[in-house]
Amino acid sequence: MAAIGRVLRSGQFILGPEVEAFEREVAAYLGVKHAIGVNSGTDALVIALRALGVGPGDEVITTPFTFFATAEAISMVGATPVFVDIDPSTFNINPELIEPALSSRTRAILPVHLYGQAADMDPILEIARKHGLKVLEDVAQAFGGEYKGRKLGTLGDAGAFSFFPSKNLGAYGDGGLIATNDDQVAELARMLRAHGARKKYYNEMPGYNSRLDALQAAILRVKLPHVDAWNEARRRVARTYNELLKDVPGVVIPCEAPYAKHVYHQYTVRIPEGRRDEVQRRLAEMGIGTMVYYPVPLHRLPVYGYPEGTFPEAERAAREVLSLPMWPGMKSDTQQKIWEAILYAINS
Ligand SMILES: *Cc1c(COP(=O)(O)O)cnc(C)c1O
C-alpha cells in the first residue's frame, strides 16, 4: 500500500523513476547488464525478436509445447515458427532435433523454460554459435530458475519475462521485461517499447506502445526480494508431492534435470493410458482444481496446421499432463488430502 501510495502521489504513472529502479534491481538480481520493462511477456518476446533482428522471411526454431504467445510473437514479427519435438522427461525442446530443422532462413532459436524448469541450454547455445543464430529464452514461467547455477534469461542473447499475476513473480496486472547483456539489443528494445523513439517525438522507426506501468513496477519492487524464498517454498511443495506420489501406479511424477534448478511454476504429473481427463473430472468433483497446460500443442492449432503425428512427444504430453494445485505457502496436510483424492480418482 505504501508503494502504491508513493506512485499515486508522484503522478508519474508510466516509466519514470519507479520503473528505472525496478529495472536496476532486476538486472542486479539476474546479474545482467540491461533490464527493460515492457507491457507484457508477449510484448517482451515480440520486442526482443525485433531487437535481435528477426523479421519477415526468417525462421525461428521453437517448441510446440508451450503457451501460444511463444509462437505468436514469432508470427507477429513476420517470421515463421519452425517447431521441433520435446524431450518427454522435461517437456522442453529436444536439442538433438534442432540441427535437422535448420534451413538457410533460420535466424534464431527460442527455447522455453516450461513449468519453471530450464531447457538444456548448452547444446542449444553450441548449435547457435556453430550456425550464427540468435537465442531468445522464454522465461515467462521461470523467474529465478537456474541452469548449471546461472540465472535463466541470461544465457542467450536475450531473455523475455512475464509478470502476469499468476507467474512466479506476478504483478497486479500485465507486465513483462527483456534482459540482455548486449548494449545494441538493449538500446533497440528501449526504442521499440516507446514508438521507436530514443527521444520523444523524434521517432526513428515504427515500434510499439509497450511500457511498464509505474504502479506495477512499484508492486514488483516490493515482491522481488521475496521471490527466492517463494521459489524455495515451491520446491518444498514439489518434494512433498514427489514423496506422496512416487509409488502411485498410474501417476508419473515430474523429473528435475541434473542441470536445472526447477522453480515449479507448475507441478505437472503425467496420467497415462487415456485416463487423464477422467481423473481430472473426478478431482473436480471432490473440489480439487487442476489444469492442463496445454491441451493442444501449437503445431496442431489451425493457425499452424501441421498434421497429427508430426511431433508425437508433444502430442502425448498434451494428452497426459495434469498440473496439480501449487503455491508457495501450501500446507502439507492440504497436499495429503490431494494425494488421497488422487488415489481415490485413480482407483475408482
Ligand atoms: C505467460 C506466458 C507468456 C506470455 O506472457 P504474458 O505476460 O501473459 O503476455 C509467454 N510464454 C509463456 C511460456 C508463458 O507462460
Side-chain angles (χ1 to χ4, degrees):
M1 292 309 291
I4 290 170
R6 188 171 71 226
V7 174
L8 297 186
R9 278 190 300 277
S10 79
Q12 168 95 47
F13 295 112
I14 294 169
L15 297 180
E18 208 67 57
V19 172
E20 283 162 27
F22 175 62
E23 290 175 339
R24 271 196 308 278
E25 287 157 12
V26 172
Y29 173 87
L30 294 173
V32 78
K33 210 163 158 195
H34 307 281
I36 300 122
V38 295
N39 248 341
S40 68
T42 306
D43 279 10
L45 288 165
V46 169
I47 291 172
L49 283 168
R50 275 195 61 191
L52 290 169
V54 177
D58 293 335
E59 292 178 356
V60 179
I61 306 278
T62 194
T63 166
F65 196 59
T66 175
F67 179 56
F68 184 62
T70 311
E72 182 184 33
I74 297 168
S75 297
M76 289 312 293
V77 303
T80 304
V82 172
F83 300 111
V84 305
D85 210 353
I86 57 167
D87 173 344
S89 68
T90 62
F91 302 105
N92 282 323
I93 193 166
N94 183 343
E96 287 177 18
L97 303 175
I98 293 176
E99 268 189 318
L102 299 180
S103 82
S104 59
R105 291 166 175 266
T106 311
R107 258 321 266 276
I109 309 174
L110 206 177
V112 179
H113 306 301
L114 198 73
Y115 303 148
Q117 168 152 252
D120 192 1
M121 290 303 291
D122 277 346
I124 293 171
L125 294 167
E126 179 55 34
I127 294 165
R129 192 158 44 234
K130 202 166 125 194
H131 298 275
L133 308 173
K134 301 293 185 189
V135 175
L136 171 61
E137 299 169 68
D138 182 336
V139 208
Q141 301 190 2
F143 193 101
E146 294 177 8
Y147 178 80
K148 298 186 180 174
R150 296 166 67 191
K151 283 272 182 305
L152 299 179
T154 69
L155 293 111
D157 296 282
F161 292 84
S162 165
F163 306 122
F164 184 81
S166 67
K167 303 286 160 96
N168 286 35
L169 178 62
Y172 292 170
D174 276 312
L177 179 129
I178 298 157
T180 184
N181 282 308
D182 185 319
D183 297 343
Q184 206 183 326
V185 169
E187 193 182 7
L188 259 170
R190 283 187 196 284
M191 285 172 69
L192 286 167
R193 76 172 168 184
H195 301 286
R198 237 176 293 242
K199 189 173 161 213
K200 207 171 184 180
Y201 307 128
Y202 292 82
N203 310 70
E204 296 171 46
M205 61 178 80
Y208 307 88
N209 175 0
S210 184
R211 302 156 305 197
L212 185 62
D213 287 347
L215 276 171
Q216 301 307 339
I219 289 160
L220 289 163
R221 290 183 70 198
V222 176
K223 295 178 87 175
L224 179 63
H226 300 281
V227 77
D228 283 344
W230 289 336
N231 282 339
E232 280 310 319
R234 285 175 182 272
R235 289 170 58 74
R236 272 198 300 281
V237 172
R239 278 199 293 277
T240 303
Y241 268 139
N242 285 344
E243 278 308 308
L244 290 166
L245 294 169
K246 67 176 194 282
D247 298 320
V248 176
V251 177
V252 182
I253 62 172
C255 110
E256 187 161 338
Y259 49 71
K261 182 179 177 188
H262 197 324
V263 290
Y264 292 96
H265 175 59
Q266 299 296 339
Y267 181 87
T268 303
V269 298
R270 285 181 187 263
I271 313 278
E273 280 137 40
R275 300 209 53 209
R276 193 265 318 271
D277 292 348
E278 99 191 72
V279 168
Q280 183 179 36
R281 196 170 52 246
R282 292 213 173 101
L283 289 172
E285 283 162 13
M286 291 182 272
I288 294 166
T290 59
M291 291 293 283
V292 173
Y293 303 109
Y294 295 90
V296 186
L298 303 187
H299 68 284
R300 293 289 297 138
L301 290 171
V303 275
Y304 296 120
Y306 291 41
E308 190 172 358
T310 314
F311 303 118
E313 289 301 346
E315 292 169 25
R316 185 163 69 91
R319 288 192 301 271
E320 296 183 351
V321 291
L322 191 65
S323 295
L324 304 184
M326 158 62 78
W327 65 87
M330 198 173 187
K331 299 275 192 304
S332 58
D333 48 325
T334 308
Q335 295 188 264
Q336 190 91 20
K337 286 190 191 115
I338 293 168
W339 168 69
E340 283 162 17
I342 290 171
L343 287 181
Y344 181 79
I346 289 265
N347 294 316
S348 56

